[in-house]
Amino acid sequence: MSAAIAWIFILVYPAYRLVRYLRMKRYFASPEFIAQKQEVAAVVAEHNDVSGYVAEIRDSGKFSIGHSSTGSQAQLASYDNTSKFKYKRDRNVADYASSNVHNSSLQVVRNASSDPIKYLIKYFDIPADEEKLADIESMGESISRLEDAIENLQLREASISTAIAPPGFILKHYLEEFRTQVGLSVPRLTIPYPEYVFQYVSAGGNSSQESRIELNSSAIDSLIETLSEKIKWKKSAAGQRSLMTAALREFIKNRDKYACKSCKVSIKDEAHLLLEVDHIMPVSKGGLSIETNLQTLCWKCNRTKSNKY
Ligand SMILES: [Zn+2]
């Protein structure tokens, strides 16, 4: 009996796959699909532009801050495991090569997992000064722009799928083929979040524990707020500024009624409009993060503007 079932699988399954494959070929060649594809062509082109923009933000953005000073001179010494039995334990070697790894005591690893921002500042030499804060804010902007642009891309792709509404088996089994046929470029969807690691390796290398801190935009916002509280602000104009966090960006977009200050396009005109918050006078030219120096721009106007500088 079980042999009969096995035969059914051996014969029927490939036939089922073949039929499905032929149905897929027929669907993509159908006049109906070709017509729908032409209807969404402009939306697809726009999606692909945003996809290129995501790549630009990734290539030009800033995605690291601070470093651990442990092991910064480790290359000056040789390291050899001289234990009698030459145990092969990779964990025995502390990871000094990466500046994002802090080798520390077990207590520090445990404390870092319960109080990550405080330990990040302390052990990765992040000074509480105005310059470093501006640096971290600029990294936070790169990361949140990337997060927003990627989310926007996913919304656009979902709306293209909904508009075409292919048969269920296409989305289930031939999603990549669907993207190719529609003409969607494959975007790079991963975000290079900076990651900081507190690592403990016991003397014998028998045990190892670590605590990881990933700096996504909400972690960066906490870092910005914590650092700002530590800074003894000078009585300068910089001291009057706001902190460049997600809350401020949302405030500016809301103030500008979710419309681009340059070309005036708004989310009422375009459901998937990607809006960004721009420094009117760039930070690199001394512009401050104050409400009067911030404006909402659509991604296209913001890209044109930043290419000029
Ligand atoms: Zn615009």
Side-chain angles (χ1 to χ4, degrees):
M1 189 60 196
S2 65
I5 292 170
W7 272 107
I8 288 171
F9 271 102
I10 290 166
L11 296 173
V12 173
Y13 187 66
Y16 161 74
R17 290 281 300 249
L18 179 66
V19 169
R20 197 171 73 191
Y21 176 79
L22 294 173
R23 277 178 69 206
M24 178 271 286
K25 286 282 177 198
R26 201 170 59 203
Y27 171 70
F28 286 126
S30 70
E32 184 201 1
F33 173 74
I34 292 165
Q36 279 173 323
K37 186 178 150 178
Q38 275 160 0
E39 264 173 50
V40 298
V43 185
V44 168
E46 181 98 9
H47 166 282
N48 292 347
D49 282 351
V50 176
S51 172
Y53 185 55
V54 166
E56 269 174 45
I57 302 172
R58 269 197 64 147
D59 295 342
S60 64
K62 232 195 121 203
F63 300 102
S64 79
I65 44 145
H67 58 87
S68 164
S69 52
T70 56
S72 60
Q73 295 176 327
Q75 77 284 0
L76 300 176
S78 68
Y79 178 85
D80 194 16
N81 182 352
T82 54
S83 64
K84 198 176 171 190
F85 301 104
K86 288 269 179 197
Y87 285 131
K88 188 121 184 73
R89 284 179 183 140
D90 293 341
R91 284 179 314 199
N92 218 342
V93 185
D95 185 2
Y96 286 133
S98 166
S99 65
N100 285 12
V101 176
H102 182 81
N103 291 281
S104 59
S105 71
L106 188 55
Q107 196 56 47
V108 169
V109 172
R110 286 182 180 156
N111 291 347
S113 74
S114 60
D115 210 349
I117 299 299
K118 183 178 155 195
Y119 276 75
L120 181 69
I121 291 173
K122 188 170 171 189
Y123 287 92
F124 284 89
D125 304 329
I126 298 173
D129 59 35
E130 291 172 27
E131 196 187 334
K132 194 68 194 178
L133 180 64
D135 233 31
I136 293 169
E137 286 178 314
S138 139
M139 183 178 77
E141 287 191 84
S142 298
I143 285 176
S144 80
R145 277 171 73 204
L146 207 46
E147 286 175 344
D148 288 352
I150 285 173
E151 192 194 335
N152 185 269
L153 216 45
Q154 287 163 343
L155 289 173
R156 284 169 193 266
E157 182 172 334
S159 83
I160 290 166
S161 294
T162 308
I164 297 184
F169 82 99
I170 294 283
L171 289 183
K172 192 172 174 201
H173 300 286
Y174 299 104
L175 186 59
E176 282 313 309
E177 181 68 19
F178 176 72
R179 288 200 180 114
T180 309
Q181 290 287 342
V182 171
L184 290 171
S185 71
V186 182
R188 292 193 291 162
L189 293 179
T190 55
I191 300 177
Y193 290 120
E195 205 176 55
Y196 294 87
V197 183
F198 288 85
Q199 189 183 62
Y200 162 75
V201 181
S202 74
N206 285 314
S207 101
S208 147
Q209 291 189 28
E210 63 177 38
S211 162
R212 275 172 191 274
I213 303 166
E214 185 192 77
L215 290 187
N216 54 28
S217 58
S218 64
I220 291 173
D221 282 358
S222 320
L223 179 58
I224 288 170
E225 279 153 12
T226 310
L227 214 54
S228 167
E229 279 163 23
K230 285 172 166 286
I231 294 177
K232 311 272 180 285
W233 290 96
K234 296 184 198 96
K235 282 201 169 62
S236 62
Q240 308 301 311
R241 70 196 196 75
S242 314
L243 295 174
M244 207 55 212
T245 59
L248 178 61
R249 283 188 286 269
E250 194 48 40
F251 173 85
I252 299 294
K253 285 181 197 172
N254 187 48
R255 181 200 67 187
D256 295 343
K257 300 189 170 59
Y258 300 95
C260 174
K261 279 284 178 186
S262 176
C263 72
K264 312 294 179 208
V265 65
S266 100
I267 51 168
K268 282 179 205 138
D269 314 314
E270 259 187 57
H272 298 311
L273 181 63
L274 176 58
L275 292 170
E276 300 186 326
V277 171
D278 165 62
H279 284 81
I280 297 168
M281 170 70 83
V283 175
S284 60
K285 302 211 179 262
L288 295 175
S289 299
I290 46 176
E291 285 168 29
T292 48
N293 191 43
L294 294 168
Q295 64 175 352
T296 306
L297 288 183
C298 74
W299 71 276
K300 285 180 185 169
C301 291
N302 200 19
R303 175 158 75 168
T304 310
K305 187 187 166 190
S306 50
N307 286 346
K308 270 186 216 157
Y309 280 104

